[in-house]
Amino acid sequence: MPPMKRLALALPLMLAAPAAAQEAEPPTPASIVAASRADEWVAIAPEDLLVMDLAPDAAGHSRRVVIQLMPAPFSQPWVENIRTLARARWWDGTQVYRVVDNWVAQWGAGEDGGEAGFVEHPLPEGVVSPVADYTSPMDDPIYPPLKGDLILDAPELSRLEADLHDDVYAQGTYFHDGWPLATDLGRVWPVHCYASVGVARDLAPDTGTGAELYAVIGHAPRQLDRNIAVVGRVIAGIEHLSTLPRGTAEAGVYATRAEDVPIVSVRLGSEMAPASSSEAVGGREGPPRFEYLGTNSESFARYVQVRANRSDAFYTVPAGGVDVCNVQVPIRPVTP
Amino acid sequence: MPPMKRLALALPLMLAAPAAAQEAEPPTPASIVAASRADEWVAIAPEDLLVMDLAPDAAGHSRRVVIQLMPAPFSQPWVENIRTLARARWWDGTQVYRVVDNWVAQWGAGEDGGEAGFVEHPLPEGVVSPVADYTSPMDDPIYPPLKGDLILDAPELSRLEADLHDDVYAQGTYFHDGWPLATDLGRVWPVHCYASVGVARDLAPDTGTGAELYAVIGHAPRQLDRNIAVVGRVIAGIEHLSTLPRGTAEAGVYATRAEDVPIVSVRLGSEMAPASSSEAVGGREGPPRFEYLGTNSESFARYVQVRANRSDAFYTVPAGGVDVCNVQVPIRPVTP
């Protein structure tokens, strides 16, 4: 909801138009999502979910962050490392150790110990830094043509093409299999948006394993595209990272280890026991389940179009465009 | 600093090149700012600073947010309202009452009371909603030509023109008098970026006084441009807003008044007593002082260029462009 005044925000029913008028109301992104068909949504596989539980906050509230891992063909060597690290319980007992405003929250642990007081923490066997390959060829049969999922026959959606091609950082941007991508010079790559998760590395490009990860908590840092592996995105609980205190030491690292935020556990969704209401197992809630609005669906195309051209009551001047990171693919929990 | 691994972040000296090699290092945004001349910086006038002190946090730490108000000719009726409201102490005792992740933190109070439990809080005399005029004509003698301050003779900076004109939301973007602006169809307007401050309003465009304000705490919501008055930007203490708990009631409003974050005082810099080391006045620190890197300076032009084309050691693929909200005009405190 736009920045409306307090009374209007708190009393939304006051603003609702009579039923007859509502039918003629221009669509909003929310109304398009609400009107989408069930078969336009795509379930996220349990092995593509990474569930990170931070220690409860000072008030004792639980803090669960759910990450959707990047599907093939992008960043797969790192994604496989991440699955191996989760299965090895490698992150359990590590920390969120760096938070920089309008930039990133970063977690994991150094593979090396010593002077800075970090605990030695050897990587599981087989987890090595992959060759730095942050883009893929556009002509791979896996990839869609340039405009990908957004090629539609509906004439009224033709504005989309222009909307998504006016990108500062690439020849064009589009969505495929639920993810925002950019393309240029015959290559295609996943982009850094708010809540994107990437692999921290050292100066040399081949130095990131996935053991240290970051989530974007500010304006899209698109300059990192093609320079670092995007391995997923936070789809629930980003606020447990974005509200953390900002670090005050060099580069926004927490100045003392007491400030670090403990990570209790990181599990793949596929590792978590299924839900059960049996008393014998304590009424387990099971792994979280999510679905995204298919980016080749008509509802998604309309959603992007409305994002680019708001015509509901609050907006008097439609933008006439939208940048790829201001679209935000709709993702929602699946309730059993 | 990019998302580098923990050890590299914490031990930056290990990464420093020998002195001889450093001279040949490609510039970074930080190195350009560090090398700028003192006469390239512009002091921000005390009457353009709005100093908002929130109640101390749970650990007793002070929380000061400093806002730079928008200069003429943009949004001036609202900016004048804001000065009047500050002088009337109108915000003292009001609250931050809404925080939405990747969107806004919002404060002030409704002008009306009643059902939602808000306190009646009449506006000072003379504070009325201005006519909604969110853009200005491009041909006003006050405004620079299209590319504004970024027209430079240095041939090596010519790439800038393309960088800043590939904007999704407007014909082009540029910087003038320290502010990011957009232009299209003969009009010019200030844009919504991370930390921008705007005037909350109701559905009708002429319904915002400036008594309720918001700060952007996520990806630039450029769709709000031309639909709402941008009146300033947070230049210090944005973390005191961006780390606040997210609201859980309708539209991200805090569900209970106990969750609201009290605003102790809001003052113009020009209202604050000058610094004094005299014991009689308690060693006042005086109003905060800030300066920005002039957007018509050579250092700023180089800073934008490097933002668009990172070539320092971490980056292997320069972006070849930068969006206006990913530039961030350098602003720093002035130490007496």
Side-chain angles (χ1 to χ4, degrees), chain B residues 262-332:
Chain B
I263 297 171
V264 175
S265 69
V266 177
R267 298 286 180 274
L268 291 169
S270 50
E271 291 185 287
M272 299 172 76
S276 166
S277 57
S278 158
E279 282 184 28
V281 292
R284 274 191 317 260
E285 60 176 328
R289 294 171 58 202
F290 289 87
E291 60 187 2
Y292 65 88
L293 182 59
T295 46
N296 61 348
S297 68
E298 184 174 337
S299 289
F300 183 75
R302 293 188 186 281
Y303 169 86
V304 175
Q305 187 187 43
V306 168
R307 279 258 180 221
N309 295 285
R310 293 295 294 259
S311 59
D312 45 295
F314 186 84
Y315 291 86
T316 55
V317 184
V322 64
D323 71 276
V324 68
C325 286
N326 203 6
V327 169
Q328 300 157 337
V329 175
I331 301 178
R332 65 186 182 190

Side-chain angles (χ1 to χ4, degrees), chain A residues 4 106 168-169 207 242 323, chain B residues 4-5 101 106 166 169 323:
Chain A
M4 299 180 71
Q106 192 168 324
V168 185
Y169 301 91
T207 50
S242 59
D323 71 275
Chain B
M4 298 180 71
K5 289 198 277 187
D101 199 76
Q106 193 168 322
D166 293 337
Y169 301 90
D323 71 276

Side-chain angles (χ1 to χ4, degrees), chain A residues 1-12 14-15 95 97-98 101-104 106 108-116 118 129 134 159 162-164 166-170 193-194 199-205 207-209 212 214 217-228 238-239 242-246 250-251 253 257 260 307 310 313-326 328, chain B residues 1-12 14-15 95 97-98 101-104 106 108-116 118 129 134 159 162-164 166-170 193-194 199-205 207-209 212 214 217-228 238-239 242-246 250-251 253 257 260 307 310 313-326 328:
Chain A
M1 199 172 291
M4 299 180 71
K5 290 198 277 186
R6 184 173 191 157
L7 209 60
L9 286 169
L11 300 172
M14 288 178 59
L15 294 171
Q95 301 87 24
Y97 60 80
R98 179 194 188 203
D101 199 76
N102 193 21
W103 187 237
V104 297
Q106 192 168 324
E111 294 87 341
D112 205 359
E115 301 169 48
F118 305 137
S129 296
Y134 304 130
R159 179 77 178 85
D163 291 341
L164 285 166
D166 293 337
D167 186 72
V168 185
Y169 301 91
C193 296
Y194 189 89
V199 172
R201 63 168 172 85
D202 290 333
L203 285 183
T207 50
T209 59
E212 295 181 72
Y214 61 88
I217 58 165
H219 187 74
R222 297 282 306 279
Q223 69 274 24
L224 297 177
D225 293 358
R226 294 185 281 180
N227 283 290
I228 203 162
I238 182 72
E239 68 275 15
S242 59
T243 63
L244 290 177
R246 281 38 177 155
E250 177 77 24
V253 171
R257 301 289 61 79
D260 288 348
R307 279 258 182 221
R310 294 293 295 259
F314 187 85
Y315 291 86
T316 56
V317 183
V322 64
D323 71 275
V324 69
C325 286
N326 203 6
Q328 299 159 336
Chain B
M1 201 174 288
M4 298 180 71
K5 289 198 277 187
R6 182 170 192 158
L7 209 61
L9 286 169
L11 300 172
M14 287 179 59
L15 295 170
Q95 302 86 24
Y97 60 82
R98 180 195 188 201
D101 199 76
N102 194 20
W103 188 237
V104 297
Q106 193 168 322
E111 295 86 341
D112 205 359
E115 302 168 49
F118 305 138
S129 295
Y134 304 131
R159 178 78 178 83
D163 291 342
L164 285 166
D166 293 337
D167 186 70
V168 185
Y169 301 90
C193 296
Y194 189 89
V199 172
R201 63 167 171 86
D202 291 331
L203 286 182
T207 50
T209 58
E212 295 180 72
Y214 61 89
I217 57 165
H219 187 73
R222 297 282 306 278
Q223 69 273 25
L224 297 176
D225 293 358
R226 293 184 283 181
N227 283 288
I228 204 160
I238 183 70
E239 68 275 14
S242 59
T243 63
L244 290 177
R246 281 38 176 156
E250 176 78 25
V253 170
R257 300 288 63 77
D260 288 347
R307 279 258 180 221
R310 293 295 294 259
F314 186 84
Y315 291 86
T316 55
V317 184
V322 64
D323 71 276
V324 68
C325 286
N326 203 6
Q328 300 157 337

Side-chain angles (χ1 to χ4, degrees), chain B residues 4 6 15 85 108 119 131 137 144 153-154 161 175 182 223 237 261 273 301 305 325:
Chain B
M4 298 180 71
R6 182 170 192 158
L15 295 170
L85 289 159
V119 177
V131 172
D153 290 330
E161 180 177 343
F175 291 85
Q223 69 273 25
V261 180
Q305 187 187 43
C325 286

